[in-house]
């Protein structure tokens, strides 16, 4: 398999709930007005805590610093695994499960933090730019590694990228088992033709920017078992949307499409306290057992928590698996 | 003819050019998300100086006070003239011309300031609430006056409305003749089915909120003879748009409609210095000669200047008329 280091230099930021309206102007530009910005990598995820915005440096320039915006200090690079047809794996699973053993686990062992961003189209593995040489060194045995530069794919050789590299020799500390939350809502992972984005503009704006203000006449009947989670990304011209079925009903049914009709996902939110960016092995902890059981999973990291999405029919076994894991670790 | 005092209590406000992005959140809500607001009267007009926002008290609540927002101190009420079929006038002209002699001139004589807002559908004459009794007293001979209250039209009798009224006995001062500017661009006055507003959302958002930031790749080739002027209103569910032909080209041609296809208007901007809100007779000064010549005109007041729109084919005679008026006044 090939591993591509994509040509985007990313910032991971977070807008507070109350601060979102101050960022409406740049965010709407980044989402809807492609000809007004050079941003090519944009992702916005709403969780109950805040809004996580991951975007390239061109996009980041649009965000004015303020007390409403938190910015993680590093530059992150997105990695992308491309099956080149002769993959020996017999796995039918998709998403993070497919790369659990080949990418996630080795990086965790090397104490490299990853920030995952699954989309409808693919799974981006974000690593800190400063960790790149370790990443290459770690993955070069398993993958042909290419660095995208100005539309070209340039092969990366371990020596070239890792001049003077010292492998992280640290012992991986005994991983913390984070509490998980399994909300009741069902999610769908969707896409749409980017040319039809204008057709859902007012709905998307409503959901993203105004869903916290009460609708006139609507009764407040929030299901406390459900979680607020909505993710939009526009990356290299591809749109991906992750939303629950309630939000989905607000969109015109004929424009959004999902990989197999009616496919629904349940969420496992990882972390009782905000996770931070320095702990390693969080993705590995959940993706490993999923890979063992060949269960597909999307995985979306946010500023505060991580979120895995697993097929609805597998949620019971995933829950049992996580409970067993918990027991093992604490015993 | 009937004169209706409409059931809206309006504020006239102004957002600075650099402050607009701070108001993107409430303005997009007011323009596109009708089910999230009780605002029923909203108008936004961009001029080279600033953005004039006229809106009812429900809408005004959405605007946070800041150094970017100026608010005129009064509450304004919109008046509306309704032909009830037996109008004796043989005039074919539309817009402010139709009401120049019956409304505009008498109010000017009574020293009542008016703020005009022509739309595709009708012409609103805004008067200060505190002037209402003078307005009624002044117009009651010419009109059957009704006050709209909760969907009902209640007849207004001069005595009832004007308890203790003292007619403004002041002499109307010799009117100042304001310089006028006649820019080169051609304007159209359009409407669209409010249900299709979502279909033009991204274009409208682009034009309203991002037209001052350069487009990627676009050359800066601004015609200094043209004026930036764009007006959007959403009043009682009716949409009206006034824009020049250059802006019009950005919108899908099949959604916007105009009263007679291809009808184009030229602008007369009144005022060399910002006009303020206390001078009277400004609208009268231009609408009277237009009425004498039976030339149609839309009229849009903004925070800083007034703007009349006259048919393209009449712009030469209007220009001559204004020059003659100028000579008369100065001689």
């Amino acid at each position: 398999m090939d591993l591509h280091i994509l040509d985007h230099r990313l910032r991971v930021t977070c807008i507070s709930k109350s601060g979102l309206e101050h960022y409406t102007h740049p965010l709407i530009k980044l989402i809807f007005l492609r000809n007004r910005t050079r941003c090519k990598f944009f992702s916005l995820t709403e969780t109950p805590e805040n809004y996580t915005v991951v975007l390239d440096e061109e996009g980041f320039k649009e965000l004015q610093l303020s007390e409403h915006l938190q910015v993680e200090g590093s530059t992150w690079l997105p990695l992308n695994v491309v099956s080149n047809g002769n993959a020996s794996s017999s796995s039918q699973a998709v998403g993070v499960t497919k790369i659990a053993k080949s990418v996630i686990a080795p990086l965790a062992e090397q104490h490299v933090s990853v920030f995952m961003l699954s989309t409808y189209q693919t799974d981006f593995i974000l690593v800190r730019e400063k960790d790149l040489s370790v990443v290459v060194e770690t993955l070069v045995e398993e993958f042909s590694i290419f660095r995208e530069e100005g539309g070209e794919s340039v092969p990366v050789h371990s020596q070239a990228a890792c001049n003077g590299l010292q492998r992280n020799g640290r012992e991986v500390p005994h991983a913390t088992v984070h509490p998980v939350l399994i909300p009741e809502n069902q999610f769908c992972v969707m896409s749409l033709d980017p040319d039809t984005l204008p057709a859902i503009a007012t709905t998307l704006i409503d959901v993203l920017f105004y869903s916290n203000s009460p609708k006139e006449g609507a009764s407040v009947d929030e299901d406390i078992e459900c979680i607020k989670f909505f993710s939009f990304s526009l990356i290299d011209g591809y749109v991906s949307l992750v939303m629950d079925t309630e939000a989905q009903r607000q969109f015109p049914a004929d424009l959004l499409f999902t990989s197999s009709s009616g496919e629904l996902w349940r969420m496992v939110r990882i972390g009782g306290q905000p996770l931070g960016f320095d702990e390693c092995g969080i993705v590995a902890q959940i993706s490993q057992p999923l890979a063992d059981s060949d269960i597909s999973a999307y995985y979306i990291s946010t500023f505060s928590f991580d979120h895995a999405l697993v097929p609805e029919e597998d949620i019971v076994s995933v829950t049992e698996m996580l409970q067993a894991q918990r027991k093992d670790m604490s015993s």
Side-chain angles (χ1 to χ4, degrees), chain A residues 1 8 26 50 54 116 143 153 161 164 176 216 229 244 248-249 252 257 273-274 289 297 302 312 314 324:
Chain A
M1 291 204 287
H8 300 289
N50 47 43
V54 180
M116 283 297 307
F143 292 94
S153 292
T176 316
E216 283 301 320
F229 186 94
D244 69 8
Q248 186 201 9
R249 277 193 292 273
F257 51 83
Q273 293 293 317
T302 67
E312 189 179 32
D314 295 319

Side-chain angles (χ1 to χ4, degrees), chain A residues 109-121:
Chain A
E109 279 162 28
Q110 285 301 314
H111 214 258
V112 172
S113 296
V114 299
F115 186 97
M116 283 297 307
L117 188 58
S118 292
T119 66
Y120 177 85
Q121 290 82 16

Side-chain angles (χ1 to χ4, degrees), chain A residues 32 197-210 250-251:
Chain A
F32 296 108
L197 194 53
I200 65 159
T202 50
T203 308
L204 189 54
I205 287 172
D206 194 6
V207 168
L208 280 177
F209 296 99
Y210 301 90
Q250 300 179 49
F251 287 87

Side-chain angles (χ1 to χ4, degrees), chain A residues 286-315:
Chain A
I286 188 158
S287 65
Q288 288 259 43
L290 291 174
D292 292 339
S293 309
D294 205 26
I295 293 172
S296 296
Y298 291 100
Y299 198 98
I300 298 175
S301 302
T302 67
F303 217 80
S304 302
F305 297 107
D306 276 9
H307 308 81
L309 291 166
V310 300
E312 189 179 32
E313 59 270 27
D314 295 319
I315 190 67

